[in-house]
Amino acid sequence: MNFRNWFILVLTFLYTGIYAQIKDPVKLKFDVNPAGNNVYEAVISATLEQGWHIYSKDLPPDSGIPTEMLVTSKEGIELIGGITEVGKKHDEFSEAFGVQIVYFSNNAQFKQKFRFKNPDKPAVISVEFTYQTCDDRVCLAPNTLEFEKKITPANSGSGLENQETAEEINAQNEAELSPADVAATVQAAPLDPKNLKINSLDFNNPLTDCGTAPVEKSDSYLTYLILGFLGGLIALLTPCVFPMIPLTVSFFTKGSKDKAKGRKDAFIYGFFILLIFILLSVPFHVIDGIAGNIFNQISTSVGLNIFFFVVFLFFAGSFFGYYDITLPSSIANKSSRAEEAGGMVGIFFMALTLVIVSFSCTGPILGTLLGSAVTGSSNIPMLLTFALAGFGLSWAIIFGLLALFPQALQSLPKSGGWMNTVKVVLGFIELGLALKFLSKADLVSKTFLLKRELFIVLWILITLGLVLYLFGLIRFPHDDKKAKISSGRKVFGILSIGFLIYLIQGLFPSERPRLQMLSGILPPLNVSYFHKEGEGILGLHPKHDYFKAIEQAKKENKPLLIDFTGYGCENCRKMEEFIWSEPDILPLLQNEVVLASLYVDDKEELPENQQTRIDMGNGKMKRIKTIGDRWSMFQQVNFNNNSQPHYVLVTPDGEVINTPVSGYMPKEDFKKFLECGIQYFKNNK
């Protein structure tokens, strides 16, 4: 899809996301109908709410998502022909996609004929159905559902059995099920040898109430608001934005004889800037509402993290001045022409024009915020909203204050080479951040090629390059050839040398972890040239399977500490390196408990006989295909929680001892949690 089409779709999301609630406008029903002579027909019937439509299976490339229907059976079937569609077809030109598209409204049926390879035995017919729903303003995210029906071929004398589909079983449930609801209704096949749902793991009724869990601090909205605010201030100093400040403020304060009105318009202008940046986060709320676990899945995706690594390298090249990242000029031109509308509408489009034309400098900064939030947290949409709100707020405040005190324009520094210096410094920062995403991809894929020491060496080289640039020993395309090294550059150069020295100490092995400031960014301690991955962190040897760990706890008669963690979990690394390693914590982990570290982002596939599906309600089935899928769902259905780190102490009989705790926490809080549970177990075993 070309950029124009993407832009139209994004604007559509921005518009509808404000007014609409997350919808589920399609109801599906699965049937299998006999057609005689060992021929049957699998039928998916779709009933759509007024105004919504579902696409045909036949769509041009790079347009909507075509409907797909895959019919299978382990007992063996032979498909007859292809998918047939029944319903009133609409064939029209789509301005968004620029092609003719075919879709159905109100009602549609998708049918696939088949025959049994062994017509004398009962069989389970499975259908995987993928579709996308749209109305005239917005498209919902693609959805894939699975249906099953057990039938007995007519040859054996019974015909179709009266068995409900997942959709019919849950027809009475109008709302999405929470993890707690799923825990109560989960219908999972046995996982060698246990089910995902363990009834004894009742975290709501622990055996004791000591060691009360602290408030989870892993997702700080204030932190992202501040980061966004600082990012906005930095963006104001770039050559794409800074020269526009006096021009814009002067337009409002001098362009009107009514000074009060001019300042009022400037404040409205600042408000619209803030609003536009907040609206940029709306699509992520829509996507998260449609598929609540989607960000948890993509944040640990090897492909996504490699993509971010490449994108950040691309951003760095732009900041260094080798090329510019710009939106098509036609977009800025259309926005500029819209300013002529005047009034509130004109001011809005002035703000939109500013955001668009400054994209070459703000794009990489916004991309950094996006990448950090998407791969670093479980509550991504809200974090993005706060980050983008902070970004827009900084611009709104600066423009508002300068409109109120226009004489302050005289004290602003003049445009010059210093702005390019800001961009180049940001380029070095982008290079450093790119390695973070490459490291996460390396960890999740279990290749462990980017060792801790190699990561540090690469950061040392990047910092060394920054030092050489700040002192004028290397230059980039837009730097003045005979530029004078300012006092500010010298100060930042000295600070960079200090950071360089700080990094170097991390290359040498030590009894205690170093580089605490970079904990969670660097690879784990055991991904090192001085350690083997199998040696474990801090000499600990945790089990990576709950069921094996609980058996070990029974043998040793010790409580089990469940550690829900992830290869890409930064707060998990901080806990391991700087809380677990404390001299009054590590002995507890080594001697008093059996440790089970369950990685929720482990992409290794389970053996086929351990893969299963869980009925999530409303016809939705969750496939448990990887090790990470298993422990992620295990955490949700048993503890109504999907954040990491998450710690649970249980007895060898599988009972929760005290209230679980989550997130990075002070040492004393974690120590209190451990000692409370351990002492209770000793007193009552």
Side-chain angles (χ1 to χ4, degrees):
M1 185 186 303
N2 61 35
F3 183 85
R4 169 180 168 274
N5 294 337
W6 277 114
F7 184 71
I8 292 172
L9 288 178
V10 169
L11 289 182
T12 303
F13 267 117
L14 294 179
Y15 175 77
T16 57
I18 303 173
Y19 304 103
Q21 298 294 322
I22 305 305
K23 294 184 178 295
D24 183 18
V26 180
K27 302 301 180 185
L28 300 176
K29 184 180 180 182
F30 173 47
D31 293 298
V32 177
N33 301 322
N37 297 323
N38 189 34
V39 175
Y40 295 82
E41 190 172 55
V43 181
I44 295 289
S45 301
T47 303
L48 294 90
E49 293 180 5
Q50 185 67 32
W52 292 88
H53 61 262
I54 187 172
Y55 288 114
S56 165
K57 64 181 177 64
D58 301 312
L59 286 185
D62 297 325
S63 55
I65 303 297
T67 299
E68 297 180 357
M69 179 179 178
L70 178 62
V71 181
T72 59
S73 175
K74 291 183 178 179
E75 288 76 17
I77 59 173
E78 177 185 348
L79 300 182
I80 303 173
I83 305 297
T84 58
E85 302 173 328
V86 178
K88 184 178 179 180
K89 286 189 177 182
H90 302 268
D91 189 343
E92 64 181 43
F93 182 79
S94 168
E95 293 184 0
F97 297 124
V99 294
Q100 290 289 130
I101 60 172
V102 179
Y103 62 87
F104 298 91
S105 59
N106 298 323
N107 297 282
Q109 285 188 328
F110 299 86
K111 303 180 178 182
Q112 172 67 66
K113 289 185 177 181
F114 65 91
R115 64 168 55 93
F116 288 100
K117 292 184 177 180
N118 188 342
D120 298 322
K121 292 184 178 181
V124 175
I125 303 301
S126 302
V127 171
E128 186 175 286
F129 190 72
T130 300
Y131 65 97
Q132 184 177 38
T133 318
C134 300
D135 66 5
D136 58 354
R137 298 177 302 169
V138 66
C139 287
L140 305 183
N143 200 7
T144 299
L145 300 180
E146 296 180 356
F147 301 87
E148 283 187 352
K149 186 180 286 288
K150 182 179 180 181
I151 69 173
T152 302
N155 289 358
S156 63
S158 299
L160 293 174
E161 289 190 2
N162 183 21
Q163 180 165 324
E164 294 177 297
T165 65
E167 178 71 20
E168 294 166 330
I169 291 172
N170 295 282
Q172 303 302 317
N173 300 329
E174 296 182 358
E176 293 292 330
L177 297 183
S178 69
D181 297 326
V182 174
T185 62
V186 62
Q187 302 291 327
L191 288 179
D192 189 25
K194 306 286 185 178
N195 286 331
L196 279 178
K197 174 61 181 172
I198 309 297
N199 292 326
S200 62
L201 294 174
D202 185 2
F203 73 97
N204 287 313
N205 297 288
L207 299 175
T208 179
D209 59 358
C210 68
T212 302
V215 177
E216 185 177 336
K217 303 177 182 178
S218 61
D219 289 346
S220 173
Y221 297 148
L222 179 60
T223 297
Y224 273 79
L225 182 69
I226 294 173
L227 288 175
F229 189 86
L230 294 176
L233 292 179
I234 293 173
L236 285 170
L237 300 178
T238 60
C240 311
V241 184
F242 189 82
M244 300 177 68
I245 296 176
L247 293 174
T248 305
V249 174
S250 297
F251 172 82
F252 288 110
T253 57
K254 297 180 181 180
S256 172
K257 295 181 180 180
D258 187 346
K259 301 297 183 184
K261 181 180 183 301
R263 293 178 181 178
K264 176 184 175 182
D265 288 346
F267 277 115
I268 295 174
Y269 177 73
F271 169 76
F272 279 139
I273 291 174
L274 172 61
L275 178 64
I276 289 169
F277 279 111
I278 292 177
L279 289 179
L280 291 176
S281 70
V282 170
F284 297 94
H285 288 273
V286 174
I287 295 171
D288 185 59
I290 296 168
N293 202 37
I294 187 171
F295 287 118
N296 184 50
Q297 296 173 12
I298 67 175
S299 66
T300 57
S301 164
V302 174
L304 177 79
N305 281 280
I306 292 176
F307 171 76
F308 271 122
F309 168 69
V310 175
V311 167
F312 273 51
L313 292 181
F314 185 67
F315 285 163
S318 173
F319 276 142
F320 288 149
Y322 293 114
Y323 43 80
D324 289 325
I325 303 173
T326 59
L327 296 176
S329 58
S330 60
I331 297 176
N333 293 338
K334 291 178 182 178
S335 179
S336 298
R337 288 197 296 269
E339 296 174 19
E340 299 172 2
M344 298 281 283
V345 175
I347 295 174
F348 173 82
F349 278 99
M350 283 189 64
L352 182 61
T353 300
L354 172 68
V355 174
I356 292 172
V357 300
S358 62
F359 182 79
S360 64
C361 291
T362 60
I365 298 174
L366 291 173
T368 301
L369 291 173
L370 170 63
S372 175
V374 167
T375 60
S377 172
S378 60
N379 195 4
I380 293 158
M382 283 304 300
L383 291 185
L384 283 173
T385 297
F386 274 83
L388 290 169
F391 196 97
L393 183 63
S394 64
W395 286 28
I397 289 175
I398 294 300
F399 281 103
L401 288 178
L402 289 176
L404 189 61
F405 304 103
Q407 61 272 20
L409 288 171
Q410 305 300 321
S411 61
L412 290 178
K414 295 182 178 180
S415 301
W418 64 270
M419 293 186 297
N420 188 67
T421 300
V422 172
K423 282 189 67 176
V424 172
V425 170
L426 290 175
F428 282 104
I429 294 174
E430 294 284 333
L431 285 180
L433 292 175
L435 289 176
K436 170 190 171 185
F437 296 102
L438 183 62
S439 174
K440 183 176 288 189
D442 178 58
L443 294 173
V444 173
S445 64
K446 296 184 180 180
T447 53
F448 303 123
L449 297 176
L450 187 56
K451 306 290 188 183
R452 187 180 180 93
E453 293 79 19
L454 177 58
F455 189 103
I456 294 172
V457 167
L458 292 174
W459 266 42
I460 287 174
L461 294 176
I462 292 171
T463 307
L464 180 61
L466 176 60
V467 170
L468 295 176
Y469 171 76
L470 290 172
F471 285 104
L473 298 177
I474 59 175
R475 283 191 290 268
F476 289 91
H478 293 166
D479 287 314
D480 295 333
K481 293 183 178 180
K482 296 182 179 180
K484 183 180 179 181
I485 306 302
S486 65
S487 299
R489 284 182 65 157
K490 292 177 181 178
V491 170
F492 278 106
I494 293 172
L495 292 175
S496 299
I497 292 174
F499 184 63
L500 191 65
I501 296 172
Y502 173 77
L503 286 173
I504 291 174
Q505 65 170 321
L507 294 176
F508 304 100
S510 63
E511 294 183 1
R512 292 294 308 279
R514 292 175 173 172
L515 305 184
Q516 182 171 357
M517 186 170 66
L518 302 179
S519 177
I521 297 177
L522 297 174
L525 292 171
N526 61 325
V527 182
S528 163
Y529 291 113
F530 301 110
H531 302 89
K532 296 180 180 179
E533 288 76 33
E535 293 179 356
I537 297 172
L538 303 170
L540 298 168
H541 299 279
K543 300 288 185 181
H544 299 301
D545 185 305
Y546 168 80
F547 305 113
K548 293 180 180 178
I550 201 74
E551 292 300 321
Q552 186 69 28
K554 290 178 181 179
K555 291 179 182 178
E556 299 183 14
N557 197 24
K558 292 180 180 179
L560 172 66
L561 175 63
I562 307 175
D563 163 35
F564 289 102
T565 184
Y567 292 109
C569 172
E570 296 180 12
N571 286 325
C572 302
R573 300 292 85 75
K574 292 179 182 179
M575 285 294 296
E576 292 162 0
E577 295 178 19
F578 299 104
I579 302 299
W580 290 17
S581 63
E582 289 289 330
D584 51 346
I585 297 291
L586 187 57
L588 296 177
L589 300 177
Q590 291 173 326
N591 305 317
E592 302 294 340
V593 299
V594 172
L595 180 61
S597 291
L598 308 181
Y599 285 83
V600 301
D601 56 3
D602 192 327
K603 301 302 182 183
E604 182 179 339
E605 287 196 8
L606 290 164
E608 188 171 347
N609 64 347
Q610 293 185 22
Q611 296 181 20
T612 187
R613 292 179 300 165
I614 290 178
D615 185 353
M616 301 294 290
N618 292 330
K620 297 182 179 180
M621 305 293 290
K622 168 67 177 177
R623 182 180 292 277
I624 307 300
K625 188 175 182 180
T626 67
I627 293 175
D629 290 339
R630 171 195 277 186
W631 301 130
S632 175
M633 188 56 63
F634 181 86
Q635 180 184 4
Q636 291 182 55
V637 301
N638 289 295
F639 304 107
N640 194 25
N641 187 285
N642 65 347
S643 64
Q644 296 80 43
H646 187 69
Y647 302 107
V648 187
L649 271 170
V650 301
T651 67
D653 295 325
E655 294 182 286
V656 177
I657 297 176
N658 54 349
T659 304
V661 295
S662 291
Y664 181 80
M665 66 194 76
K667 182 192 74 172
E668 292 305 319
D669 289 335
F670 189 61
K671 181 180 178 182
K672 182 180 178 182
F673 162 74
L674 287 177
E675 290 183 336
C676 155
I678 293 170
Q679 192 59 47
Y680 178 88
F681 177 77
K682 287 182 176 180
N683 293 339
N684 294 276
K685 66 179 179 179

